């Protein structure tokens, strides 16, 4: 993957959709969240034609704040998982990321400045997109659980009419870890958007 990656929320869709492109504009994937499901399921496709399924993201329980979302290949192979850190996520987004085959969290994703995130959500809800899109830019940082070294950062990009986020790599991660982190940031984006 050629960083930074760009996450772009599609406008005017019934259910949330995100297109992911690399630094050269090449398509990485297209993500569609299914609405009206008791148990969350998100599908990741090769592109917006939705013909080739790359992965699914499935919750381990029905509508729960602390659900764990497992990433699976089309053949059912586990690609990693992400889960909210319970009550810690009420004020400041906090997610644990599990690399493929790991039972303990490999990374933690946290909101860099929860006040900026809260103001961004409040201003967006009021319909003042100019202020929200250009001045308030929430950022989320993934760090290794052991050592706390930064690995990836997701930052809201300037945009008037749509949600656009940039994902940068800040530290070493193998291919499986990078995939698990990208899928974690996508799922976190969908969860945080639904929260406001």
């Amino acid at each position: 993957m050629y960083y930074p990656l760009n996450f772009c929320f599609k406008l005017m869709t019934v259910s949330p959709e995100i297109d992911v492109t690399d630094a050269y504009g090449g398509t990485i994937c297209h993500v569609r969240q299914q609405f009206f499901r008791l148990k969350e399921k998100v599908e990741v496709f090769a592109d917006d034609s939705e013909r080739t399924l790359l992965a699914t993201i499935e919750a381990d329980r029905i509508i729960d704040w602390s659900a764990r979302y497992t990433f699976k290949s089309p053949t059912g192979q586990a690609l990693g998982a992400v889960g909210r850190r319970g009550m810690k996520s009420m004020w400041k987004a906090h997610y644990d990321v599990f690399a493929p085959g790991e039972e303990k969290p490999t990374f933690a994703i946290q909101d860099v400045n929860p006040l900026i995130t809260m103001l961004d959500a409040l201003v967006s809800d009021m319909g003042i997109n100019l202020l929200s899109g250009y001045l308030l830019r929430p950022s989320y940082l993934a760090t290794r659980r052991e050592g706390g070294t930064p690995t990836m950062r997701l930052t809201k990009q300037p945009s008037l009419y749509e949600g656009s986020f940039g994902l940068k790599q800040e530290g070493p991660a193998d291919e499986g870890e990078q995939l698990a982190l990208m899928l974690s940031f996508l799922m976190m984006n969908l969860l945080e958007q639904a929260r406001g």
Side-chain angles (χ1 to χ4, degrees):
M1 289 188 271
Y2 299 104
Y3 293 94
L5 302 184
N6 185 49
F7 295 6
C8 185
F9 278 87
K10 281 194 165 187
L11 295 176
M12 308 304 241
T13 57
V14 176
S15 59
E17 294 183 25
I18 304 173
D19 285 323
V20 181
T21 55
D22 65 17
Y24 300 106
T27 299
I28 300 291
C29 64
H30 171 79
V31 180
R32 182 169 46 88
Q33 183 179 26
Q34 296 180 358
F35 262 154
F36 309 116
R37 292 184 67 106
L38 289 177
K39 202 169 177 183
E40 186 79 53
K41 183 175 180 181
V42 175
E43 295 172 319
V44 182
F45 296 95
D47 56 37
D48 61 2
S49 70
E50 298 186 2
R51 283 191 290 254
T52 306
L53 183 67
L54 297 178
T56 57
I57 304 172
E58 299 178 35
D60 66 348
R61 58 192 87 163
I62 297 172
I63 307 172
D64 187 341
W65 180 261
S66 297
R68 185 167 164 173
Y69 300 87
T70 302
F71 318 132
K72 294 181 183 175
S73 72
T75 61
Q77 176 189 359
L79 303 172
V82 66
R84 273 192 185 123
R85 180 69 81 78
M87 296 305 286
K88 274 192 174 184
S89 291
M90 288 294 286
W91 160 248
K92 180 178 183 178
H94 190 125
Y95 292 81
D96 288 326
V97 179
F98 301 82
E102 296 294 328
E103 287 301 313
K104 292 184 177 178
T106 311
F107 302 95
I109 297 175
Q110 294 186 55
D111 197 338
V112 173
N113 187 335
L115 182 60
I116 293 292
T117 304
M118 185 186 73
L119 287 171
D120 178 62
L122 181 67
V123 170
S124 292
D125 287 346
M126 293 169 52
I128 310 171
N129 287 336
L130 181 63
L131 181 62
S132 168
Y134 285 92
L135 299 179
L136 302 172
R137 297 178 48 205
S139 184
Y140 304 89
L141 182 65
T143 55
R144 279 200 185 271
R145 298 290 288 176
E146 291 183 17
T149 55
T151 308
M152 287 191 183
R153 181 184 301 264
L154 182 76
T155 304
K156 187 172 184 180
Q157 301 300 303
S159 176
L160 274 178
Y161 302 110
E162 59 191 18
S164 182
F165 294 81
L167 181 64
K168 291 182 185 175
Q169 186 171 7
E170 297 198 344
D174 65 35
E175 196 173 305
E177 291 174 338
Q178 287 182 53
L179 179 59
L181 280 166
M182 183 192 74
L183 293 171
S184 296
F185 276 113
L186 283 167
M187 191 65 218
M188 184 210 72
N189 231 202
L190 291 168
L191 291 169
E192 292 300 309
Q193 181 197 33
R195 184 165 96 162

